[in-house]
Amino acid sequence: MKLISLDAPDGLRLKGFLSLGQSNLATIIHIHGNSGNFYENDFIRTMAEMYPAAGINFMCVNNRGHDVIAEAYRNGKLVYIGGAYGEPEQCIWDIEGAVTFAKKLGAPIILQGHSFGCNTTLAYLLKNSNM
């Protein structure tokens, strides 16, 4: 498992992690819920171990709705983000940034979410029929 950074299309820097599977069969991008984060739920650690053991890459990235209030950077400038500031329609940009990052791995991409992450994943897929 390694920590990663990637940018959403609006320049917001997102942090997360990537666990690589030896076979590179697919890359699962897990989208967490509003006010959550990429590491808090115990089931994320379980997936980060089990998917790579099965040859599947697993990635989880904070989105702009992570935690309640958090510091982040957009185009090198400090901004405040989090569930208290969240604009749900912008969360699809975070998924777009994660998908762009994951495409470099060369494996098919699978999106999965929990809680509000299911809603943002659906919103992303409705706007991006190429997935």
Side-chain angles (χ1 to χ4, degrees):
M1 184 180 333
K2 66 178 183 173
L3 293 175
I4 58 171
S5 294
L6 57 95
D7 292 328
D10 67 338
L12 185 66
R13 175 61 48 110
L14 305 170
K15 305 288 184 178
F17 74 87
L18 173 65
S19 294
L20 294 173
Q22 289 185 347
S23 301
N24 201 36
L25 298 172
T27 299
I28 293 177
I29 302 173
H30 180 79
I31 312 300
H32 66 75
N34 198 34
S35 299
N37 54 50
F38 73 82
Y39 58 86
E40 194 67 36
N41 295 99
D42 288 342
F43 59 81
I44 293 174
R45 178 179 298 275
T46 301
M47 290 185 289
E49 295 169 355
M50 295 184 76
Y51 284 135
I56 299 168
N57 306 321
F58 181 69
M59 188 167 116
C60 193
V61 178
N62 272 345
N63 57 45
R64 66 190 66 227
H66 81 85
D67 299 310
V68 176
I69 298 174
E71 293 179 345
Y73 290 89
R74 179 179 289 117
N75 300 319
K77 295 182 181 179
L78 179 68
V79 296
Y80 289 95
I81 62 170
Y85 293 98
E87 296 183 40
E89 63 276 1
Q90 293 179 352
C91 288
I92 63 172
W93 298 340
D94 305 335
I95 297 172
E96 186 174 332
V99 167
T100 299
F101 183 94
K103 283 181 178 178
K104 297 174 189 168
L105 300 173
I109 296 170
I110 300 168
L111 299 177
Q112 74 172 28
H114 77 269
S115 192
F116 192 68
C118 297
N119 299 44
T120 55
T121 299
L122 180 59
Y124 174 83
L125 291 171
L126 290 171
K127 289 191 179 260
N128 295 283
S129 59
N130 60 344
M131 276 296 296

